[in-house]
Amino acid sequence: MLEKLHRLEQDAIEELRLVLTKEGLEPWRVKYLGRKGALTGLLREIGSLPAEQRPALGQESNRLKAALEQAYAIRLEAFAEEELRRTQQQAFDVTLPGRPALPGSLHVSTQILREIYTIFAGMGFQVVETPEVETDTTNFQLLNIPPYHPARDMWSTFHTTQTGVLLRTHTSPGQIHAMRRYCPEPIRVILPGKCYRYEQVTARHEHMFYQVEGLAVGRQVTMGDLKGVLASFARQMFGPDRRVRFRASYFPFTEPSAEMDIDCGLCEGQGCRVCKGSGWLEILGAGMVHPQVLQNGGYDPEIYSGFAFGMGSERVAMLKYGIDDIRHFFANDLRFLQQFG
Amino acid sequence: MRVPLSWLREYVDIDMPLNELADRMTYAGLEVESIENVGEHWDRDKIVVGQIVEVCRHPDADRLTIAVVDSGTGTPEAVVTGAPNIHAGDHGQKVVLARTGATLVDGHSAEFRMIKLKPTKIRGVLSAGMVCSEKELGLSDEHEGILLLEDDAPVGTPLQDYLGDTILDIDLTPNLGRCLSIIGVAREVAALTGAKLRLSEPRMQGTGPSISDQVRIEIADTDLCSRYTASLVRGVQIGPSPAWMQRRLRMAGMRPINNIVDVTNYVMLEWGQPLHAFDYDSLRGTPPDAVPTIVVRRALPGERITTLDGVERQLDPQVLLITDGGGPIGIAGVMGGRETEISQETRNVLLESANFDNLNNRRTSEMLKLPSEASLRFGRGLPAEMSILALQRASDMMRELAGGQIAQGIVDNYPVHPAERAISLRATEVKRLLGIDISRARLTEILESLGFICAPDDDPMTVRVTVPFFRQDVEIIPDLIEEVARVVGYDKIPNTLMSSELPAQRRNLSLEGEEHVRDVLVACGLSEVITYSLTNLDSVSRLDPSRGLPDPSSFVRIANPLTSDREYLRQTLMNSMLEVVRANLRFLDRVMTFEVARVYLPQAGQELPDEPRRLCLAMTGRRYPLSWTAANEGLLDYYDLKGVIETLCRRLGAANASFEPAEHPVYERGRAAALVIGGARVGLLGEVHSQVRDAFDLPAQAVCLAELSMEGLLGATPSERHFQPVSRFPATSRDLALVLEEQISSQRVHDVITEAAGRLLQSLELFDIYRGQPVPEGHKSLAFRLTYQDMERTLTDGEIDQIQARVRRDLERDLHAQVRS
């Protein structure tokens, strides 16, 4: 029996030496020191031996148990130390750059258009799109601008080689399309899209740009409503503290006509280079739909009234983000575009 | 329109600060662009009016003189000058004296530069200051001689008080033709400030023999000329106009020429009516004993005229001419002819003040590319009544400034009188349009201040308004309402929320779909670009280097392109996209972009082109940006692009999207596919052909490009989607490796497995492709993971084994695959 105890001791120590990982220790402990382990088995055998043999064997087995437990503890500690050492060597640097997520970006013009859609949707205006290539009739004549009318100077036009067909100079022909589509229902729409002007490209002018037209037609649409809707738009777009002003202006298809200015955000209305010292920046043209235009759209101007407005969305973006040159928009330099991601 | 304040003040008092006036004008539609102060930099104590006491020769220089100038200080000062317009022995002239320390424009420098005057010795003579030229004072570029002031200029007065002025530069919209005149602006200012307009009807003193025996006027085309008035001034002396007139002309932006021409321009600026002066003695083709006759008519075919600027111009039969017996002597309302131009020798002046049709006038000046101050005003439309007012004013000024005698009477040919216009304005109509209540009394007050004639109507709410001749632009009720709103001020109209009926609300699903596509692509890492709609055929042709330029007639073409590279409306986005990629590769090593835009396709039998939307995608460069975490090699390729398009289709719900091999000149052979949804081709994707890459100057790396029809993509999107239940039972996966011939596409394998496995197959993933030992030459090994799951229960191993056996059998049978498990 004593011999059995010694063999067990030898085996256990030898096996422990071969355990190379902390995880490998537990099976060893279970095998030798566990409740159903080898040592417990031998102790049970000793219990069944004659009484006079028991004390010596008991003493020996207690020594053996203490020796194995101690060997186990030393080994466990060694592994723990080694692990600590290893973690310390491989320092975890929380300041390393993270793995980049790689989203793209929406074009700044798209973003501004979406903001405009959202703001006007809140006031009951829906988006309708109309063609970019138009007839002279829809782009001009139905808007009260006959051939050679002095107001034609306001829109330098790209003509196509087909007489009477041109690139729309503004989104206003959309007013005619919308009225003819919805007459005699009341209307609240915005008409966004690309427009084209025969103009040299400079910091302030592009030959292609986006415009957003607005049109409301109904039985009690007033100039007060026009002001209310546009002032609300300006505050939602540029901030609740911004001031707007309305000036008399002229468009052949509205009467009365107005332009809306917003106070210059750069100098807070004090006057600077950007606002040319006036403290105000022009953002859109507007007015009450001319009775002849209402009629051209199918509405009786004695019963219906309406307002319309038009703004250049790049201009809105330029004012909002402080972009100083409209040529950035369609130069498509990703270093510019990705700023607005 | 540049309005000198001193001139405006002749017609209306201005009591308010200038900034406030400018604001009021701007609010009322006369946008004051800038306020310019003439003589702002003239130091009050250093630049003053002086009088020459005597002029002596310079002892050491022939070309210099010494002027002794009295400036009211008691001690005259001696200054050295080289001015050719004062001479030794002169005295009494009024000049501008600048003292040491004065700020002046450098008269000797070609560019505009300010200098401070220092005391100097010129050829040994000390000069206390200088007498100034117009250029040195910043009044004009004139530096030949010194500025000589009028004789009544008060000696010792700061020049700022005597010559200083303020110019309002007003940006006028096309409807404000009436404000292309000092009097027109004054009338607006009076209405806006409540001041009174000081205006009396001009009179002329005709004392010579009656004009009717000396000239006759015939109007052949009364549709284009509703009135022609003329006067005759005999015995004029041509010379420079007085300094005050020249100054005003310059401040208003015109160049002085001589007293006769200057008067016509001055009166045009004052009243808005262009005038033309003919040399009466140059009129041609008058038979002996007959009276010279002016005929106003359309040009004859092939007719020509040499205009004042010396250019011979070809006319067409829509051009209105002023003619004499010898042919054209002027293009009506645009420019006079050379033959009858006022010259130094002119003695007798025939003065024209007429009314021409505005649209025809604009057509002529556009066609001849001849914009002028006259056609600017005629083009906006002028009242016929103005002709005679301006004629009398100008004739009398010519008599005063150029001497001579005005013939008695006026020739006034006035075939077409405008109808008097009267409009009834109801206060309720004002309320309906503006949303504010304005009483009849207030309406009357406002309209009268603008010169409208108002009378009460029987209806207590209504005013009867007669439109004055100078307000031709007012035709309908809303025009009057705008006048009311302008004077009240738009800021006095309260902002309201719309109370009219809310229209039926309709979604714009086509736009929503487009925005959804953008969002998915941004999430996939692509950046949106927007390129020009106008392109050129050279750029388009680079998409297919093996062929020449495309047929121009198949495009919508611009008749007046800005530049030849923006002449055609595009039919593809691909060339612009490759140009964007190329430009960005100069700065970036990874470019992933997309654009959604319209293309323009001419339609047979239709006036306007079709404008369908396209989606273009491009990807090239590093797959990942340089980072410590990622594999740092690897370039984007076809499969990156295809993965994006697969994701897009999945997000849009286009479940039945598939890809078929395709060919197209843009793409490398064998590296292009067609996206097919529901049996229809939606577009192509692939790697750009190396020759196309070269044509766009792109680097030798895979450039992936796709162009898809938005209508095709969105049309395939189900309008309704249904919930798919998710199984509660465990899924079981089996891997399957098979060796098959190289040319069998993964799509075919995919189809065979899906078909054989049936409805319990939840997903099928290709996770490995291997070529090389021990796989035989011309073969490849594909490894798939098949995942099975049932909605109702846990599947048993036995069931799955059965399915797998079926899959294996079909692969072996249909594709001759060797299956290894």
Side-chain angles (χ1 to χ4, degrees):
Chain A
M1 193 68 212
L2 201 58
E3 199 181 323
K4 266 188 179 171
L5 282 174
H6 286 157
R7 200 171 334 118
L8 176 72
E9 185 176 4
Q10 265 175 13
D11 288 354
I13 296 298
E14 175 62 19
E15 215 168 295
L16 184 62
R17 203 175 55 80
L18 295 174
V19 172
L20 296 177
T21 64
K22 188 185 168 193
E23 290 68 36
L25 274 181
E26 184 60 14
W28 180 90
R29 193 193 61 79
V30 172
K31 181 172 175 187
Y32 293 101
L33 294 171
R35 272 193 297 131
K36 293 175 182 170
L39 189 59
T40 318
L42 283 182
L43 286 177
R44 215 170 279 139
E45 275 183 48
I46 290 168
S48 60
L49 287 177
E52 66 277 6
Q53 291 181 13
R54 283 187 228 161
L57 283 172
Q59 215 172 11
E60 184 56 21
S61 61
N62 280 342
R63 187 197 59 80
L64 175 60
K65 188 177 182 209
L68 290 186
E69 277 174 349
Q70 197 191 0
Y72 173 79
I74 288 169
R75 204 63 214 235
L76 186 64
E77 199 181 341
F79 279 129
E81 260 174 42
E82 196 185 310
E83 192 174 69
L84 186 67
R85 210 168 47 243
R86 205 174 331 126
T87 10
Q88 275 168 353
Q89 270 170 359
Q90 271 185 15
F92 189 87
D93 183 356
V94 295
T95 69
L96 274 176
R99 284 191 182 85
L102 303 169
S105 54
L106 278 178
H107 194 284
V108 59
S109 294
T110 302
Q111 293 182 51
I112 280 287
L113 286 172
R114 286 188 179 184
E115 278 188 64
I116 294 172
Y117 301 162
T118 305
I119 292 170
F120 281 104
M123 296 187 271
F125 288 77
Q126 280 139 32
V127 181
V128 172
E129 291 153 296
T130 61
E132 291 173 25
V133 184
E134 277 287 6
T135 58
D136 188 275
T137 310
T138 321
N139 194 74
F140 287 126
Q141 296 172 36
L142 290 172
L143 295 170
N144 265 354
I145 316 167
Y148 300 110
H149 189 275
R152 289 221 174 191
D153 293 349
M154 295 164 80
W155 301 275
S156 317
T157 309
F158 280 118
H159 300 277
T160 71
T161 48
Q162 190 182 345
T163 310
V165 175
L166 44 78
L167 305 196
R168 67 173 169 192
T169 55
H170 49 176
T171 39
S172 305
Q175 292 185 30
I176 299 292
H177 292 296
M179 283 192 278
R180 291 187 171 177
R181 187 181 305 175
Y182 296 123
C183 183
E185 291 178 42
I187 296 180
R188 283 187 211 180
V189 293
I190 54 173
L191 303 144
K194 286 176 184 150
C195 298
Y196 305 85
R197 299 249 175 107
Y198 178 77
E199 267 175 20
Q200 291 302 329
V201 178
T202 67
R204 289 174 59 88
H205 297 105
E206 252 293 3
H207 80 272
M208 178 182 97
F209 53 93
Y210 279 89
Q211 224 178 41
V212 179
E213 191 85 3
L215 175 70
V217 177
R219 282 170 192 269
Q220 297 105 26
V221 178
T222 68
M223 186 128 178
D225 294 338
L226 166 68
K227 288 186 63 192
V229 164
L230 290 179
S232 168
F233 161 74
R235 280 191 298 271
Q236 292 185 66
M237 177 59 83
F238 296 102
D241 301 329
R242 300 296 288 277
R243 291 177 306 136
V244 295
R245 70 172 187 183
F246 291 83
R247 289 182 282 113
S249 188
Y250 170 70
F251 304 101
F253 39 94
T254 51
E255 191 74 31
S257 300
E259 270 177 6
M260 182 171 85
D261 299 337
I262 184 161
D263 59 340
C264 177
L266 231 64
C267 61
E268 294 178 340
Q270 297 307 299
C272 65
R273 194 181 53 82
V274 172
C275 57
K276 290 195 244 156
S278 70
W280 296 97
L281 296 162
E282 183 186 321
I283 59 172
L284 57 81
M288 301 303 293
V289 182
H290 194 284
Q292 186 61 53
V293 176
L294 279 173
Q295 217 152 34
N296 293 344
Y299 291 83
D300 180 354
E302 300 273 321
I303 300 167
Y304 293 93
S305 55
F307 67 72
F309 57 86
M311 67 183 102
S313 51
E314 279 80 30
R315 177 150 178 85
V316 173
M318 287 170 84
L319 296 182
K320 194 172 162 103
Y321 298 121
I323 301 168
D324 60 355
D325 192 327
I326 196 170
R327 287 171 292 198
H328 285 306
F329 284 82
F330 307 124
N332 292 307
D333 186 330
L334 293 176
R335 296 169 302 169
F336 168 80
L337 293 177
Q338 287 172 348
Q339 289 177 33
F340 304 94
Chain B
M1 173 78 188
R2 290 166 60 83
V3 179
L5 208 58
S6 61
W7 201 347
L8 187 63
R9 282 195 157 119
E10 286 185 10
Y11 295 99
V12 64
D13 288 330
I14 294 164
D15 300 329
M16 61 178 60
L18 210 54
N19 282 334
E20 197 182 322
L21 176 69
D23 274 353
R24 281 205 202 177
M25 291 168 75
T26 298
Y27 277 99
L30 285 80
E31 190 179 352
V32 178
E33 278 251 293
S34 68
I35 301 174
E36 203 174 296
N37 289 305
V38 177
E40 198 175 21
H41 62 279
W42 296 337
D43 316 65
R44 297 183 63 82
D45 56 338
K46 297 196 180 71
I47 300 181
V48 298
V49 176
Q51 183 166 27
I52 291 179
V53 181
E54 64 168 323
V55 181
C56 337
R57 290 183 200 291
H58 190 285
D60 291 330
D62 288 347
R63 296 182 53 222
L64 299 179
T65 53
I66 297 166
V68 181
V69 181
D70 169 28
S71 60
T73 54
T75 36
E77 290 149 275
V79 300
V80 177
T81 174
N85 59 342
I86 51 170
H87 314 279
D90 283 359
H91 61 89
Q93 292 102 323
K94 296 286 176 67
V95 295
V96 178
L97 176 71
R99 299 194 177 104
T100 303
T103 309
L104 293 170
V105 176
D106 185 351
H108 299 288
S109 167
E111 62 200 89
F112 183 85
R113 196 167 66 180
M114 303 294 280
I115 50 166
K116 241 186 175 66
L117 189 58
K118 292 185 201 130
T120 40
K121 260 189 181 167
I122 301 173
R123 298 270 181 123
V125 176
L126 185 73
S127 186
M130 65 189 285
V131 283
C132 305
S133 68
E134 291 194 7
K135 182 172 179 186
E136 284 156 339
L137 294 168
L139 289 171
S140 76
D141 286 335
E142 185 58 53
H143 192 55
E144 264 299 289
I146 58 167
L147 172 61
L148 297 177
L149 303 173
E150 271 114 292
D151 291 343
D152 60 358
V155 173
T157 307
L159 187 68
Q160 210 179 70
D161 293 349
Y162 181 63
L163 276 194
D165 209 331
T166 300
I167 300 168
L168 301 177
D169 195 353
I170 311 174
D171 189 13
L172 294 171
T173 48
N175 61 323
L176 289 174
R178 65 180 187 279
C179 291
L180 286 166
S181 66
I182 303 292
I183 290 171
V185 173
R187 190 174 276 122
E188 290 287 320
V189 169
L192 294 173
T193 62
K196 211 172 151 42
L197 182 71
R198 273 191 303 273
L199 188 61
S200 51
E201 199 166 306
R203 301 250 173 258
M204 66 176 206
Q205 283 180 26
T207 53
S210 170
I211 188 171
S212 53
D213 301 331
Q214 304 181 67
V215 70
R216 287 186 44 213
I217 307 289
E218 283 173 16
I219 303 175
D221 291 308
T222 54
D223 58 328
L224 300 184
C225 176
S226 62
R227 189 178 198 181
Y228 197 107
T229 68
S231 67
L232 186 61
V233 188
R234 280 188 174 277
V236 297
Q237 189 72 43
I238 305 293
S241 59
W244 61 266
M245 181 176 274
Q246 295 196 20
R247 216 157 46 230
R248 283 191 171 172
L249 289 174
R250 280 212 187 88
M251 283 192 286
M254 296 195 79
R255 207 161 45 87
I257 293 167
N258 60 46
N259 46 8
I260 298 300
V261 174
D262 289 359
V263 165
T264 61
N265 285 332
Y266 187 87
V267 173
M268 175 181 72
L269 290 170
E270 196 172 57
W271 288 85
Q273 167 76 48
L275 300 146
H276 187 71
F278 297 99
D279 181 350
Y280 177 73
D281 301 313
S282 305
L283 293 178
R284 304 154 301 176
T286 310
D289 302 324
V291 176
T293 302
I294 301 287
V295 179
V296 184
R297 59 160 172 83
R298 285 180 165 88
L300 303 170
E303 213 163 7
R304 290 165 174 270
I305 181 176
T306 303
T307 42
L308 284 175
D309 52 10
V311 179
E312 189 184 45
R313 296 176 189 276
Q314 175 76 53
L315 308 168
D316 77 17
Q318 279 308 310
V319 173
L320 189 68
L321 293 178
I322 314 300
T323 65
D324 63 5
I329 55 171
I331 302 172
V334 175
M335 194 177 268
R338 189 131 233 202
E339 299 269 352
T340 53
E341 183 180 2
I342 301 295
S343 69
Q344 286 302 315
E345 285 69 46
T346 299
R347 289 294 163 265
N348 303 315
V349 173
L350 177 69
L351 184 60
E352 158 203 294
S353 182
N355 194 275
F356 304 117
D357 176 73
N358 73 316
L359 296 187
N360 176 267
N361 181 278
R362 282 176 52 84
R363 181 192 170 279
T364 299
S365 82
E366 255 178 48
M367 183 195 77
L368 297 174
K369 298 196 170 48
L370 199 55
S372 66
E373 290 285 336
S375 70
L376 175 68
R377 288 168 175 80
F378 280 121
R380 305 275 173 106
L382 279 170
E385 283 80 353
M386 194 72 89
S387 312
I388 203 139
L389 300 175
L391 185 80
Q392 301 197 59
R393 167 78 167 154
S395 305
D396 219 47
M397 281 187 109
M398 284 180 189
R399 180 187 56 77
E400 264 178 49
L401 302 178
Q405 193 180 37
I406 304 174
Q408 281 181 49
I410 283 170
V411 184
D412 184 2
N413 196 333
Y414 194 0
V416 185
H417 286 257
E420 192 182 73
R421 202 176 285 150
I423 303 170
S424 287
L425 179 62
R426 246 175 315 140
T428 49
E429 195 56 17
V430 177
K431 166 89 176 168
R432 184 172 83 98
L433 226 54
L434 298 184
I436 49 172
D437 289 302
I438 300 178
S439 68
R440 184 168 82 169
R442 178 79 180 118
L443 289 177
T444 303
E445 187 188 4
I446 291 168
L447 291 170
E448 284 182 342
S449 77
L450 286 162
F452 293 88
I453 299 127
C454 298
D457 189 269
D458 291 343
D459 171 19
M461 297 293 284
T462 302
V463 205
R464 288 195 53 76
V465 183
T466 306
V467 178
F469 75 84
F470 49 84
R471 288 307 304 269
Q472 284 194 321
D473 58 306
V474 172
E475 294 175 340
I476 54 172
I477 292 168
D479 293 334
L480 282 178
I481 293 175
E482 177 173 79
E483 294 305 304
V484 172
R486 274 190 330 124
V487 174
V488 169
Y490 284 8
D491 53 328
K492 298 291 188 304
I493 300 172
N495 295 0
T496 49
L497 291 174
M498 297 183 70
S499 59
S500 69
E501 188 189 343
L502 186 69
Q505 300 284 293
R506 301 178 181 90
R507 289 174 60 177
N508 184 334
L509 293 174
S510 145
L511 179 64
E512 284 178 34
E514 186 181 314
E515 299 296 353
H516 187 197
V517 167
R518 288 194 173 96
D519 285 338
V520 173
L521 295 176
V522 167
C524 288
L526 281 73
S527 292
E528 188 186 16
V529 300
I530 298 176
T531 61
Y532 293 133
S533 310
L534 289 168
T535 189
N536 61 83
L537 299 185
D538 179 55
S539 174
V540 175
S541 72
R542 278 179 227 178
L543 293 171
D544 186 359
S546 63
R547 294 175 50 182
L549 290 183
D551 175 13
S553 70
S554 63
F555 287 80
V556 178
R557 184 173 184 177
I558 301 302
N560 57 333
L562 271 172
T563 55
S564 59
D565 62 336
R566 311 241 169 272
E567 194 175 346
Y568 295 89
L569 278 174
R570 61 179 168 183
Q571 301 186 357
T572 173
L573 314 184
M574 290 192 289
N575 56 318
S576 303
M577 184 57 89
L578 291 179
E579 285 164 8
V580 166
V581 169
R582 161 80 187 100
N584 277 287
L585 282 175
R586 288 172 57 212
F587 304 104
L588 306 170
D589 54 10
R590 182 170 186 274
V591 175
M592 295 168 57
T593 47
F594 74 96
E595 175 170 18
V596 181
R598 298 185 189 185
V599 293
Y600 311 85
L601 311 175
Q603 311 181 86
Q606 298 278 320
E607 194 173 23
L608 299 179
D610 189 21
E611 300 182 15
R613 289 168 299 172
R614 294 276 173 82
L615 166 64
C616 188
L617 304 100
M619 297 166 76
T620 190
R622 304 177 63 94
R623 181 166 294 128
Y624 302 106
L626 191 65
S627 162
W628 65 277
T629 63
N632 280 324
E633 56 281 345
L635 295 177
L636 292 160
D637 64 19
Y638 169 83
Y639 298 106
D640 293 285
L641 176 64
K642 182 164 184 267
V644 168
I645 293 174
E646 284 166 342
T647 302
L648 180 63
C649 291
R650 208 155 43 236
R651 289 282 128 200
L652 293 176
N656 48 356
S658 64
F659 296 83
E660 291 170 356
E663 277 192 28
H664 185 275
V666 165
Y667 300 111
E668 204 67 67
R669 269 181 81 97
R671 287 180 177 255
L675 170 64
V676 178
I677 304 180
R681 275 196 176 197
V682 167
L684 298 176
L685 61 149
E687 289 184 7
V688 173
H689 195 284
S690 60
Q691 280 177 24
V692 176
R693 225 163 48 195
D694 291 348
F696 283 92
D697 198 17
L698 286 159
Q701 66 187 31
V703 176
C704 310
L705 184 71
E707 187 169 65
L708 309 175
S709 152
M710 282 294 283
E711 273 49 60
L713 261 183
L714 297 177
T717 308
S719 54
E720 287 176 13
R721 292 216 211 175
H722 292 286
F723 154 74
Q724 298 291 323
V726 180
S727 175
R728 294 186 291 116
F729 297 94
T732 308
S733 293
R734 294 288 171 87
D735 290 353
L736 193 70
L738 50 147
V739 173
L740 31 70
E741 285 174 16
E742 191 65 73
Q743 72 270 19
I744 296 171
S745 73
S746 89
Q747 183 71 49
R748 279 189 69 194
V749 184
H750 189 281
D751 293 345
V752 169
I753 296 176
T754 314
E755 176 71 29
R759 63 167 191 93
L760 294 178
L761 185 69
Q762 273 295 303
S763 69
L764 174 63
E765 270 123 3
L766 174 65
F767 67 88
D768 190 42
I769 300 179
Y770 177 75
R771 294 180 178 89
Q773 284 300 326
V775 177
E777 187 75 19
H779 286 66
K780 59 190 171 184
S781 160
L782 303 182
F784 288 92
R785 174 161 297 171
L786 295 80
T787 303
Y788 296 97
Q789 194 175 31
D790 188 74
M791 294 304 298
E792 312 286 325
R793 61 202 171 80
T794 304
L795 296 171
T796 64
D797 281 350
E799 282 173 294
I800 294 171
D801 288 345
Q802 260 181 11
I803 301 173
Q804 284 281 108
R806 230 167 36 227
V807 169
R808 187 181 181 127
R809 184 198 66 204
D810 286 4
L811 286 170
E812 286 166 350
R813 188 190 62 203
D814 298 347
L815 304 177
H816 306 294
Q818 291 171 258
V819 181
R820 306 174 297 153
S821 286

